[in-house]
Amino acid sequence: MSSILFPLVCSALCAFSLGAIDAEAQLRASEAPAARADAIVAPWVSDRAPGVSVAVSLNDEIVYARGAGLANLEHGVPLSPDSVFQVASVSKQFTAFAVFLLVSEGQIQLGDDIRTYLPELGETDDVVTVQHLLDHAGGLREQNTLAAMAGWMPGDIHTRDGIFDLVARQRGVNFPAASRIEYSNTGYALLARVVERVSGQPFREFMQENVFAPLGMTRSGFPADRDALVTQRAASYYPAGESFRNVISASESIGSSGLYTTALDVLRWAENFETGVVGSSRVFELMAARYTAENGEVSTFGRGQELRVHNGVATWSHGGRDAGYRSFLLRVPAADLEIVILSNRTDFDTAAMAFALMDAWLENDPRYVGPQADNWEPHSLNDLQGLAGDYEFYPGVIFSLRAGEGGLTFAPHGASRDDLAPLVQIGPGEFRLSTSPDLSLVFEAQRGTPAARMGYRIGLHGTLWAPRIALESFQPESLDINEFAGRCFSEELETHYRLEARDGVLIAHHPRLQSFEFTPYQPDTFAGEGPLQRIEFVRAQSGQPVGFHASGPLAMNVWFECRAG
């Protein structure tokens, strides 16, 4: 099915880039792009701060590679194109590729139930297939959110087996498989295990033998555990005032993340999509295919790479973030251009730099369409009223938009009028969220009609969509907080919380976590400040609360059974 879907999607998205971009023209202008690249990288040059490693390939030749800033602040080690970073979710396209290598050999079938390979997983009402996991359509709960709900601390070592056991205990899902698209780290962690079960090798050995060694990626690998030695590894940091602090990556999960590599090694990987040194034509066809869920949504970021059009040219990309590491891989097949951005600081916008470098190398080609000035008219009050409403980004994380003669305002649900922030319209259906030009709210609604969802656009990284929700008229004081107090246990998480009613407030206590409060916003429904972002109580026929469903980002309705005391 996937091989059929891709031409349909590409007919809409790839028409802008039919015909190869003039490679000779790009080579003639190579000096100018390199000078622009230096200017783009220049703000990160420092002997006191972490920074970035950059590498660019054009027509299978490295045309730019440099490091800026420090790989290790404590030892003053500078970054270079050979510095090793953890590339986080960029790992997903390597995992997808590994699965397709086995699919092309007939060892894995895309339509197989994943329990064919991983029988330990709990049963669900719908079959979850290998293809569902590849395309983020499996509906499985997010492993990182489950760990937080279970009381795992940020500094705890999240071992592969520990995470797998946690996922295997789940009996519920976020949604029926294939019904819609939702980004899933869980799915890709499971796919790495599928590769292990089928190949009979540890995933890191399979990748070394079948991908890294044949491509000459000598500095790449999935470490056996967090304590493994990684030569020339860049440490990761976050800004703290005028200085920086270390961020330690605690997860040992692989498949969804976990690859350590260099900018130059990632270029070798990216160039393989053009040269085909590793992988058959069937593998590359499967990597490019796009999947459509039952609700019509296309998995644009499925199989570890996102297809999008930038300035008239089709691109493939994916970013990653873990601890203080930030990564972005951008491929432009029509130009045979590949760009790799790796950073070791949390405040680095890798996508912005990658696309800026793409602009630098391609802006002079006549088929490359640069940014165009939009001709648009501000929305009328009627238009704004169609956008106003309540939108839920994650369970319990609700934002309210209100329309008036002064324009559109934005605030967390329940905020006072003094907290309403005005939104500045910057384009058709797009409003600046703050003073940052990279953060905006976007809508796809026709003017004057209610918007079904709202998008939170994070620069060139993509958009997080929130559906419109309907909230009942509700008075918090109508609830008797005392009846919700008790001890609540979840078999799926193997953990418990004690809920305390104190001075009219419901407080959650956990043996390992800092206590946090719940705020009621609907009948028997509370928003939490901790890992349980929303809890919805269930009552017995007697009216007594007997438990609740807890939800967090990408993990819905985990059951807790409660008893008084």
Side-chain angles (χ1 to χ4, degrees), residues 326-360:
R326 301 292 181 264
S327 60
F328 202 84
L329 167 59
L330 175 65
R331 295 192 298 110
V332 189
D336 194 3
L337 175 70
E338 295 85 28
I339 298 168
V340 183
I341 310 294
L342 306 180
S343 178
N344 60 337
R345 51 187 296 163
T346 58
D347 59 347
F348 198 96
D349 191 337
T350 51
M353 178 174 283
F355 283 103
L357 291 173
M358 174 183 170
D359 293 342

Side-chain angles (χ1 to χ4, degrees), residues 152-374:
W152 296 20
M153 301 292 287
D156 291 344
I157 298 178
H158 293 194
T159 66
R160 286 193 72 202
D161 288 344
I163 287 289
F164 182 65
D165 288 345
L166 180 59
V167 170
R169 288 199 300 272
Q170 303 306 301
R171 296 297 179 265
V173 296
N174 293 341
F175 55 86
S179 64
R180 61 187 179 90
I181 304 299
E182 182 179 85
Y183 194 81
S184 176
N185 288 300
T186 301
Y188 272 79
L190 294 179
L191 287 171
R193 284 190 176 267
V194 170
V195 170
E196 291 180 329
R197 297 285 173 88
V198 173
S199 69
Q201 294 177 278
F203 186 70
R204 64 181 184 280
E205 292 181 9
F206 179 89
M207 294 300 296
Q208 177 63 32
E209 180 179 317
N210 293 280
V211 177
F212 300 145
L215 292 180
M217 298 174 65
T218 59
R219 307 297 307 284
S220 303
F222 290 91
D225 54 53
R226 191 181 72 164
D227 296 328
L229 294 177
V230 178
T231 305
Q232 288 187 250
R233 171 170 26 192
S236 72
Y237 303 94
Y238 69 90
E242 298 298 318
S243 185
F244 294 87
R245 293 186 65 83
N246 288 299
V247 189
I248 307 300
S249 177
S251 177
E252 295 180 350
S253 181
I254 60 174
S256 60
S257 185
L259 174 62
Y260 282 81
T261 185
T262 69
L264 293 176
D265 266 12
V266 176
L267 274 189
R268 294 182 177 93
W269 160 260
E271 289 167 355
N272 187 58
F273 283 82
E274 303 298 327
T275 61
V277 172
V278 175
S280 64
S281 60
R282 173 65 173 156
V283 171
F284 292 103
E285 179 186 73
L286 289 169
M287 286 292 292
R290 301 292 90 181
Y291 174 85
T292 301
E294 293 171 354
N295 67 354
E297 185 179 3
V298 177
S299 182
T300 57
F301 40 74
R303 309 181 183 208
Q305 48 180 5
E306 179 177 354
L307 174 62
R308 69 166 95 170
V309 172
H310 176 73
N311 288 345
V313 181
T315 69
W316 294 95
S317 64
H318 206 290
R321 51 189 295 136
D322 183 48
Y325 296 112
R326 301 292 181 264
S327 60
F328 202 84
L329 167 59
L330 175 65
R331 295 192 298 110
V332 189
D336 194 3
L337 175 70
E338 295 85 28
I339 298 168
V340 183
I341 310 294
L342 306 180
S343 178
N344 60 337
R345 51 187 296 163
T346 58
D347 59 347
F348 198 96
D349 191 337
T350 51
M353 178 174 283
F355 283 103
L357 291 173
M358 174 183 170
D359 293 342
W361 258 273
L362 301 186
E363 67 173 352
N364 292 323
D365 189 276
R367 283 159 287 191
Y368 186 67
V369 180
Q372 302 295 303
D374 288 328

Side-chain angles (χ1 to χ4, degrees), residues 392-393 442-444 453-457 463-467:
E392 189 169 29
F393 281 100
V442 294
F443 301 86
E444 298 175 333
R453 60 178 187 168
M454 175 176 70
Y456 176 60
R457 180 169 291 166
T463 303
L464 173 66
W465 291 99

